[in-house]
Structure formats: C-alpha cells, structure tokens
C-alpha cells in the first residue's frame, strides 16, 4: 500500500509464497501497531507456526506482549528472531533476558552473535558449533561462509559455544523425556559426542509442545542471519500435517478451508484469502460457505506474492490461496466443497459427539473458530464533500468494512451524522486516506458530536388556544396541560389524561395529541436536543366542531413547548462504562488523567500483573483518549467503552456548554 511505503510500517497483513530447500513456505507479514491488532488476530488464526521479530536494542516492547498473548490463545508454536543486531545499542543478552522476564517464556539459545552494533559480522551456530560470517561487501547478504570452530583459531569462542551447547542440551533434556533418556544413557560422559540431528529433533518436539522458544539473531536489513532463520523455520516449526486440528477427521479429505481476509481489487473485485486445511481447491469450481449457507463459484485461483499475483490451476492442503469471484464470503467463514459434504461431516461429528459427551452442537464444531473482533475505541464523524456524493461514500465504507471488520460505521439517529468507529486515530487516518486515494472521495473528518438530552426539574402548567380560519372553516382548540419530571427513566414522554378529558375523545384526536407531544419533545429549549424523563397530564381539551387533527397537533405541541420553556431545565449527557486494563506501574497516571476527565472510579481489580480500573466517564471527555492512554502507559494499556446511561450535568459544566453552543466562548 502507498500508505505503508510512506510511513515505513505494516498496515495490512500481506502474504507471499516461496520455496526454500525443497520446502514450500507460506509467509504472512502482520502489522505491529496496536491499531491493527485485528490483522494479527485473523492471521494467527490460520498459521501453523510464527516467527516473533524483536528489536535487539529494545527487547520486548508493549505491543509484543499483546501479540504474544494472541499467539498463546491460538496455541501457535514460535521462534524468536532478534533483529537489528547491527544497530547501535543492540544487546543480545538484554533482549534474551526481556523474553524470559516479560513473556515468561523459556528461551533456547541456538545462536550467539559475532559482535554487536557496528561490529556485528555474523552468528555462531550453537547446535553444530560452526560460525557463519557474512561478506561485508555483499549488499544482499547472499555471500557468507560457514566454518567449523577450531581450537587453534577460535579458542575463546569455542569455549563459549561449548558451554552454551551444554546448557542448551540440559534445558531441552529437562523439557523432553525422550531426549533426557538419550542424554543420560549414551552421552552422559561427553555431550560433545551428541549428534546435532538428535538435538535438532528434540528442539523440534519442544517447540511444538510450546514449552520453550528457540532464539536466533541477525540483521534483516543486510540479510545477515536470514538463511539460518529459514533453515530453523523448516526444521523446528510444524508442517501442516503436524498441527493436530480436531475438525479435519470429519471431512475425510474433502475440502475444508477458512477465509481469513478480504481485499478489494478494482479490476477483479473482492479477493478472498483462504487457508486450506484439507482437500484441494480449483478454479471454476463451486464451493459451499457454511456460515453464510450459500454456494458460490471460484472463477480464478491466484498465488500471492505481496502485490503480484500468479494464476495457478489448483492448490492443496496446508497452503494459502487468493480466490477471485466470491461475492458473499467474509472474514472468518468456513468453506466446504458442497452442502452435502458439510452435512456428511456434521453427521460424523455428531456420531463422535455421542461417544464423547460434548456441550456444543455438531454445527458449531464443524465451523472453524472465526475471528474475535475487538470493540472500537475511537469515534469521529465523516462527511462527503456534497450530498450527491453520499452514496459513493456509503459504497466505499461498505467495501472497507468487509475488508476490515474492526472498522464499524453507524448512523447517529440524533444528529444524523455518519460515525466511524475504529481502533485508534492512526486506524481512522489510514481509512480516511484510503477513501481519498482508492475511491477518489475528499471526505471531512470531524469531532464526534455528543448527543445530549434534556429534561425538566419542576412541575409546570400551561394553557394555549389556537384560533384560525382557513377558507370558510374555523379551527379552534384550547389546551390545558401539566408537565412534570418522571421518576423512572423513559426516552419518550409519558402521557396521561385527566378523567374529564378521556371519556369521549375520538381516536383521531388522541393520535393528533400524541403526535403533537412527541414533536414538541424532539427539540428541547436549551440545546435543541430530545427531551426525556417527563410525564405530561392533559387537564382539559376543548375542540370546536370541524377542527382538523393537524390543528389539534399544532396547539398541543405549542402548549408543551411553552411549558418546557417555563420550567427549570437540565442537560443530560451520555455516560460511558469504562474499563481500563493497565500494568500496576502505570496505575497512578491513568487515575490522575481520569480525574481530569470527570471520571468516577467504581473499583480497581487485580488480574495477574495488571490492574483493571472500572468506572464511568462522560462521552464528551473521552475524545482522543486512546492516544493519551497509550502515551501515559507506553502503549501497554487497553480500554473498552460502552454506553451506560444519561446523567445530569453539573451546573458549571452545563453553563460552559451552553455558552459555547451560543458562540460566546471561543473553542480552541
């Protein structure tokens, strides 16, 4: 994407397929920024293994923790790669320590760096006791030498490597019983005689069991250390056959795939990324979408190479494909070859379910777990350049939502504005930029207009008479009513009739009265916001014969407005339930910031090392909160918001709001 090239960050996950030493590797690159956490979530869902890339000078950063937890949730085995070993300030020891401390993982050091910072020239392979040195003149990193460590030339390095290898063998033996038997039996006297292949097989088992993580290092920019990393991927991470997916036994080799991402292409239409778990996928074949309960046809099958795509005749299990022609498939849908194949799999699952007592239905177990979509934390309004362009904007937003389910679009019933809800300011900024570049629409983003409500504080009486002659007809209505605050919370006004009024009131007149009251309560006297929590009692109604219902409505409406103007008025503001998850060290700045935002803290819970702050905060004070919270906590806190109720504003805040609305104060 143009935005990725400009900013130098990953925004959308991209897929590339390549071969390495006889292995086919499907690689997905995911973003690291917290605003694009859904991209990571939906890719982890379909991976067999992962490489976690760390900055060797920074170690474990805030977002690394989030992604690591997501990988734990999806039980993805992983390898750690300490990147930027040639950067000033890079420290192998510090980075490994931070993996141990912050991620609570057991690092297996398979390599040691040769030099750090500017002096970095290669790595030592601990398993095979070899050193790999890259040619300084080689820009692409293809040119490197692999030499065994010799007592003569590398005495100190050999001693270090032998110690590291012995420590590695002991670590793996602790975690793998089969390997422990081997070590204690044949090689207990001398670990040096232990063949590298045996150790590699044991590391593979430990990685798959997720009891430890292999650690490698290098510099991706100069391609130093990338070849041994690729070797480690093929050696230690699982192949598709090694991941045990429970649902595959029911498909018996039939097609089973998961759509995990949708992209919109101007020429080809929606492109759907699929992970194939079993069976084969071919172009021009019909597929059945279990979630959508519909059959669609794949017109073409493409192999992804980032922004280049190559057409292919078929693709087998374990691969990732791009399909063209699917109109209804969305992120998280499970794909089978036909409805009958899906039903047969469901029956097998049901038979299995009868043997084992299971709570969920066979259909649920047949569906691959979709993607959990996080709740939006940032809101703003979006407007097209003109009303004529609104349909184009709606279409663009519809396409973007299908592509990115963490983007939500709502229409505010009170203000009539289109509201974008996203994962943060950067997320919304990128969406805004994409609408401009990809759909040619100049849109305007505005601050969210808070939908206030109004109510009254005392009982008021009002009477009104409407006397009009239209043509030869005289319309005459006299209304007397009482408006008072309602004890229970109610959005629409509660209407009561005094005994003398309701006796012989025609139905048409009743409807006219209700319409008049509702229209009067749509716009309050203070801000023009809807009125709520009021009860209206109609004490007397005199209607001249021949008076139209429209006139009755108009008179009642005018009388209610007159009463509302006389009453003591109160602005109600939306109050949000707020839940902030924050590491204990950052708790006090978060609480201080919430106090400035007129927040009320209800309780603070403890969950492992984190504190959970639960409370209320007015919606008007939450603008830009995601950015402030990340700044205060170095990006380690997360929060969730939902509307709780409407609450009366205090007199001081109300008078500031009213003077701002009437233009008396300048808003900076």
């Amino acid at each position: 994407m143009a935005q990725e090239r400009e900013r130098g960050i990953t925004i959308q996950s991209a897929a590339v397929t390549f071969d390495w030493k006889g292995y086919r590797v499907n690689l997905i690159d995911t973003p690291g920024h917290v605003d694009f956490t859904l991209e990571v979530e939906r890719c982890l869902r379909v991976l067999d293994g992962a490489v976690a890339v760390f900055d060797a000078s920074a170690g474990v950063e805030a977002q690394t923790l989030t992604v690591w937890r997501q990988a734990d949730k999806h039980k993805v085995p992983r390898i750690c790669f300490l990147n930027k070993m040639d950067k000033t300030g890079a420290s192998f020891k510090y980075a490994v320590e931070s993996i141990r401390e912050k991620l609570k993982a057991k690092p297996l050091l398979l390599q040691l760096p040769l030099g750090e910072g500017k002096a970095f020239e290669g790595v030592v392979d601990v398993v095979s006791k070899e050193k790999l040195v890259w040619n300084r003149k080689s820009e692409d990193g293809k040119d490197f030498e692999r030499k065994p460590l010799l007592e003569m030339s590398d005495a100190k390095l050999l001693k270090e490597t032998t110690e590291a290898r012995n420590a590695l063998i002991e670590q793996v033996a602790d975690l793998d019983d089969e390997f422990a038997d081997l070590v204690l039996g044949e090689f207990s006297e001398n670990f040096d005689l232990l063949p590298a292949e045996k150790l590699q097989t044991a590391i593979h088992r430990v990685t798959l069991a997720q009891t430890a993580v292999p650690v490698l290092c290098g510099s991706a920019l100069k391609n130093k250390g990338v070849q041994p990393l690729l070797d480690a991927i093929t050696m230690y991470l699982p192949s598709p056959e090694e991941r045990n997916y429970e649902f595959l036994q029911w498909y018996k080799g039939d097609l089973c795939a998961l759509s995990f991402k949708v992209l919109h292409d101007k020429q080809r239409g929606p492109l759907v990324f699929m992970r194939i778990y079993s069976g084969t996928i071919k172009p021009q074949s019909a597929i059945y979408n279990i979630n959508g309960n519909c059959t669609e046809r794949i017109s073409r099958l493409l192999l992804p190479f980032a922004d280049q795509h190559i057409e292919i005749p078929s693709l087998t299990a374990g691969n990732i494909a791009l399909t063209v022609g699917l109109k209804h498939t969305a992120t998280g849908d499970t794909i089978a070859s036909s409805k009958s194949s899906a039903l047969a799999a469901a029956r097998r699952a049901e038979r299995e379910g009868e043997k084992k007592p299971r709570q969920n239905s066979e259909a649920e177990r047949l569906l691959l777990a979709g993607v959990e979509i996080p709740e939006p934390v940032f809101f703003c309004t979006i407007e097209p350049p003109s009303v004529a362009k609104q349909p184009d904007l709606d279409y663009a937003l519809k396409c973007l939502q299908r592509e990115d389910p963490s983007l939500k679009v709502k229409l505010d019933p009170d203000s009539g504005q289109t509201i974008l809800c996203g994962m943060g300011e950067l997320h919304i900024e990128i969406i805004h930029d994409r609408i401009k570049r990809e759909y040619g629409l100049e849109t305007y983003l505005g601050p969210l207009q808070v939908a206030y409500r109004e109510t009254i504080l005392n009982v008021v009486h009002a009477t009104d008479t409407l006397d009009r002659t239209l043509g030869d007809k005289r319309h005459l209505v006299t209304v007397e009513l009482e408006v008072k605050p309602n004890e229970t919370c109610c959005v629409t006004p509660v209407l009561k009739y005094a005994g003398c009024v309701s006796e012989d009131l025609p139905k048409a007149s009743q409807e006219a009265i209700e319409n008049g009251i509702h229209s009067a309560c749509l716009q309050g006297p203070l801000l023009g916001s809807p009125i709520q929590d009021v009860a209206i009692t109609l004490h007397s109604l005199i209607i001249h014969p021949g008076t139209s219902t429209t006139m009755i409505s108009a008179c009642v409406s005018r009388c209610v407005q007159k009463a509302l103007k006389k009453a003591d008025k109160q602005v109600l503001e939306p109050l949000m339930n707020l839940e902030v998850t924050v590491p204990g060290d950052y708790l006090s700045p978060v609480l201080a910031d919430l106090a400035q935002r007129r927040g009320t803290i209800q309780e603070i819970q403890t969950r492992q090392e984190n504190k959970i702050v639960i409370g209320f905060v007015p919606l008007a004070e939450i603008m830009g909160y995601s950015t402030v919270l990340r700044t205060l906590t170095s990006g380690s806190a997360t929060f969730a918001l939902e509307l709780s109720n409407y609450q009366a504003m205090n007199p001081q805040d109300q008078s500031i709001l009213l003077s701002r609305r009437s233009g008396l104060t300048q808003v900076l």
Side-chain angles (χ1 to χ4, degrees), residues 597-621:
R597 294 173 184 273
R598 300 190 283 128
T600 315
I601 309 299
Q602 282 193 299
E603 60 172 321
I604 298 172
Q605 299 172 352
T606 304
R607 193 181 297 157
Q608 289 157 342
E609 294 98 50
N610 291 332
K611 298 283 183 202
I612 315 291
V613 180
I614 297 169
F616 297 109
V617 66
L619 177 63
E621 301 291 337

Short mmCIF file of all heavy atoms in Angstrom, two decimals, residues 597-621:
data_model
loop_
_atom_site.label_atom_id
_atom_site.label_comp_id
_atom_site.label_asym_id
_atom_site.label_seq_id
_atom_site.Cartn_x
_atom_site.Cartn_y
_atom_site.Cartn_z
N ARG A 597 -10.81 14.06 33.57
CA ARG A 597 -11.87 13.86 32.57
C ARG A 597 -13.24 13.68 33.24
O ARG A 597 -14.14 13.11 32.64
CB ARG A 597 -11.55 12.63 31.72
CG ARG A 597 -10.33 12.81 30.86
CD ARG A 597 -9.95 11.52 30.15
NE ARG A 597 -8.72 11.70 29.39
CZ ARG A 597 -8.66 12.16 28.15
NH1 ARG A 597 -9.77 12.43 27.50
NH2 ARG A 597 -7.51 12.32 27.54
N ARG A 598 -13.39 14.10 34.47
CA ARG A 598 -14.65 14.00 35.22
C ARG A 598 -15.08 12.53 35.36
O ARG A 598 -16.26 12.20 35.36
CB ARG A 598 -15.77 14.81 34.56
CG ARG A 598 -15.46 16.29 34.46
CD ARG A 598 -16.67 17.10 34.05
NE ARG A 598 -16.97 17.02 32.65
CZ ARG A 598 -18.17 16.70 32.17
NH1 ARG A 598 -19.16 16.45 32.97
NH2 ARG A 598 -18.38 16.66 30.87
N GLY A 599 -14.09 11.65 35.43
CA GLY A 599 -14.40 10.23 35.55
C GLY A 599 -14.70 9.85 37.00
O GLY A 599 -14.22 10.47 37.93
N THR A 600 -15.54 8.82 37.17
CA THR A 600 -15.84 8.30 38.51
C THR A 600 -15.34 6.86 38.56
O THR A 600 -15.74 6.04 37.73
CB THR A 600 -17.37 8.28 38.74
OG1 THR A 600 -17.89 9.52 38.29
CG2 THR A 600 -17.72 8.04 40.17
N ILE A 601 -14.45 6.57 39.49
CA ILE A 601 -13.91 5.20 39.60
C ILE A 601 -14.80 4.41 40.55
O ILE A 601 -15.08 4.84 41.66
CB ILE A 601 -12.46 5.21 40.15
CG1 ILE A 601 -11.58 6.19 39.35
CG2 ILE A 601 -11.87 3.81 40.14
CD1 ILE A 601 -11.43 5.90 37.90
N GLN A 602 -15.25 3.23 40.08
CA GLN A 602 -16.08 2.38 40.95
C GLN A 602 -15.24 1.37 41.72
O GLN A 602 -15.39 1.22 42.91
CB GLN A 602 -17.10 1.64 40.09
CG GLN A 602 -18.27 2.50 39.69
CD GLN A 602 -19.37 1.63 39.15
OE1 GLN A 602 -19.17 0.95 38.16
NE2 GLN A 602 -20.52 1.65 39.78
N GLU A 603 -14.35 0.66 40.97
CA GLU A 603 -13.50 -0.29 41.67
C GLU A 603 -12.23 -0.55 40.86
O GLU A 603 -12.18 -0.29 39.66
CB GLU A 603 -14.23 -1.60 41.95
CG GLU A 603 -14.71 -2.33 40.72
CD GLU A 603 -15.26 -3.72 41.04
OE1 GLU A 603 -14.66 -4.40 41.90
OE2 GLU A 603 -16.24 -4.13 40.41
N ILE A 604 -11.20 -1.04 41.54
CA ILE A 604 -9.95 -1.42 40.87
C ILE A 604 -9.68 -2.88 41.21
O ILE A 604 -9.52 -3.23 42.38
CB ILE A 604 -8.77 -0.52 41.32
CG1 ILE A 604 -9.06 0.94 40.94
CG2 ILE A 604 -7.47 -0.98 40.67
CD1 ILE A 604 -8.09 1.94 41.49
N GLN A 605 -9.70 -3.73 40.18
CA GLN A 605 -9.47 -5.17 40.41
C GLN A 605 -8.02 -5.52 40.04
O GLN A 605 -7.36 -4.77 39.32
CB GLN A 605 -10.41 -6.00 39.54
CG GLN A 605 -11.87 -5.75 39.82
CD GLN A 605 -12.75 -6.45 38.79
OE1 GLN A 605 -12.29 -6.98 37.80
NE2 GLN A 605 -14.06 -6.42 39.04
N THR A 606 -7.55 -6.67 40.49
CA THR A 606 -6.20 -7.12 40.11
C THR A 606 -6.34 -8.40 39.30
O THR A 606 -7.06 -9.31 39.68
CB THR A 606 -5.37 -7.39 41.38
OG1 THR A 606 -5.37 -6.20 42.16
CG2 THR A 606 -3.93 -7.75 41.03
N ARG A 607 -5.64 -8.43 38.15
CA ARG A 607 -5.64 -9.62 37.31
C ARG A 607 -4.19 -9.89 36.91
O ARG A 607 -3.62 -9.15 36.11
CB ARG A 607 -6.51 -9.38 36.07
CG ARG A 607 -6.82 -10.65 35.30
CD ARG A 607 -7.64 -10.35 34.07
NE ARG A 607 -8.96 -9.80 34.37
CZ ARG A 607 -9.66 -9.07 33.50
NH1 ARG A 607 -9.16 -8.80 32.32
NH2 ARG A 607 -10.85 -8.60 33.83
N GLN A 608 -3.57 -10.90 37.48
CA GLN A 608 -2.13 -11.17 37.32
C GLN A 608 -1.34 -9.90 37.65
O GLN A 608 -1.49 -9.35 38.72
CB GLN A 608 -1.83 -11.71 35.92
CG GLN A 608 -2.36 -13.13 35.77
CD GLN A 608 -2.61 -13.53 34.35
OE1 GLN A 608 -2.72 -12.70 33.46
NE2 GLN A 608 -2.71 -14.81 34.13
N GLU A 609 -0.50 -9.42 36.67
CA GLU A 609 0.29 -8.21 36.99
C GLU A 609 -0.50 -6.94 36.66
O GLU A 609 0.00 -5.83 36.86
CB GLU A 609 1.59 -8.17 36.18
CG GLU A 609 2.58 -9.25 36.53
CD GLU A 609 2.52 -10.43 35.57
OE1 GLU A 609 2.56 -10.20 34.37
OE2 GLU A 609 2.42 -11.57 36.06
N ASN A 610 -1.69 -7.10 36.11
CA ASN A 610 -2.44 -5.92 35.67
C ASN A 610 -3.47 -5.46 36.68
O ASN A 610 -3.97 -6.25 37.47
CB ASN A 610 -3.16 -6.22 34.35
CG ASN A 610 -2.19 -6.39 33.21
OD1 ASN A 610 -1.11 -5.81 33.23
ND2 ASN A 610 -2.56 -7.18 32.23
N LYS A 611 -3.82 -4.18 36.59
CA LYS A 611 -4.93 -3.62 37.36
C LYS A 611 -6.07 -3.33 36.38
O LYS A 611 -5.83 -2.85 35.27
CB LYS A 611 -4.52 -2.30 38.03
CG LYS A 611 -3.37 -2.45 39.01
CD LYS A 611 -3.84 -3.06 40.32
CE LYS A 611 -2.72 -3.14 41.34
NZ LYS A 611 -2.97 -4.13 42.35
N ILE A 612 -7.29 -3.61 36.80
CA ILE A 612 -8.47 -3.32 35.98
C ILE A 612 -9.23 -2.19 36.66
O ILE A 612 -9.75 -2.37 37.76
CB ILE A 612 -9.40 -4.55 35.84
CG1 ILE A 612 -8.60 -5.82 35.54
CG2 ILE A 612 -10.49 -4.29 34.79
CD1 ILE A 612 -7.95 -5.89 34.20
N VAL A 613 -9.25 -1.04 35.99
CA VAL A 613 -9.97 0.13 36.55
C VAL A 613 -11.36 0.15 35.94
O VAL A 613 -11.51 0.20 34.72
CB VAL A 613 -9.22 1.44 36.21
CG1 VAL A 613 -9.96 2.64 36.78
CG2 VAL A 613 -7.80 1.40 36.74
N ILE A 614 -12.39 0.11 36.80
CA ILE A 614 -13.78 0.11 36.30
C ILE A 614 -14.45 1.39 36.79
O ILE A 614 -14.37 1.72 37.98
CB ILE A 614 -14.54 -1.13 36.79
CG1 ILE A 614 -13.87 -2.40 36.21
CG2 ILE A 614 -16.01 -1.09 36.38
CD1 ILE A 614 -14.33 -3.68 36.80
N GLY A 615 -15.09 2.11 35.88
CA GLY A 615 -15.75 3.36 36.30
C GLY A 615 -16.59 3.94 35.18
O GLY A 615 -16.88 3.27 34.18
N PHE A 616 -17.00 5.19 35.37
CA PHE A 616 -17.81 5.91 34.38
C PHE A 616 -17.07 7.16 33.95
O PHE A 616 -16.36 7.78 34.76
CB PHE A 616 -19.15 6.34 34.99
CG PHE A 616 -20.02 5.20 35.42
CD1 PHE A 616 -20.22 4.93 36.77
CD2 PHE A 616 -20.64 4.41 34.47
CE1 PHE A 616 -21.03 3.87 37.17
CE2 PHE A 616 -21.44 3.35 34.86
CZ PHE A 616 -21.64 3.08 36.21
N VAL A 617 -17.26 7.55 32.70
CA VAL A 617 -16.68 8.82 32.24
C VAL A 617 -17.62 9.40 31.18
O VAL A 617 -18.18 8.66 30.37
CB VAL A 617 -15.24 8.59 31.70
CG1 VAL A 617 -15.23 7.75 30.46
CG2 VAL A 617 -14.52 9.89 31.47
N PRO A 618 -17.85 10.73 31.20
CA PRO A 618 -18.73 11.32 30.18
C PRO A 618 -18.14 11.18 28.78
O PRO A 618 -16.92 11.31 28.61
CB PRO A 618 -18.79 12.80 30.58
CG PRO A 618 -18.35 12.85 32.00
CD PRO A 618 -17.40 11.73 32.17
N LEU A 619 -19.00 10.90 27.79
CA LEU A 619 -18.55 10.70 26.41
C LEU A 619 -17.79 11.93 25.89
O LEU A 619 -16.81 11.82 25.17
CB LEU A 619 -19.76 10.40 25.51
CG LEU A 619 -19.47 10.24 24.02
CD1 LEU A 619 -18.56 9.05 23.76
CD2 LEU A 619 -20.74 10.05 23.22
N ALA A 620 -18.23 13.12 26.30
CA ALA A 620 -17.60 14.36 25.81
C ALA A 620 -16.14 14.44 26.21
O ALA A 620 -15.35 15.13 25.57
CB ALA A 620 -18.36 15.57 26.35
N GLU A 621 -15.76 13.74 27.28
CA GLU A 621 -14.39 13.84 27.79
C GLU A 621 -13.48 12.74 27.24
O GLU A 621 -12.31 12.66 27.61
CB GLU A 621 -14.40 13.73 29.33
CG GLU A 621 -15.21 14.80 30.03
CD GLU A 621 -14.60 16.18 29.91
OE1 GLU A 621 -13.38 16.27 29.68
OE2 GLU A 621 -15.35 17.17 30.04
#
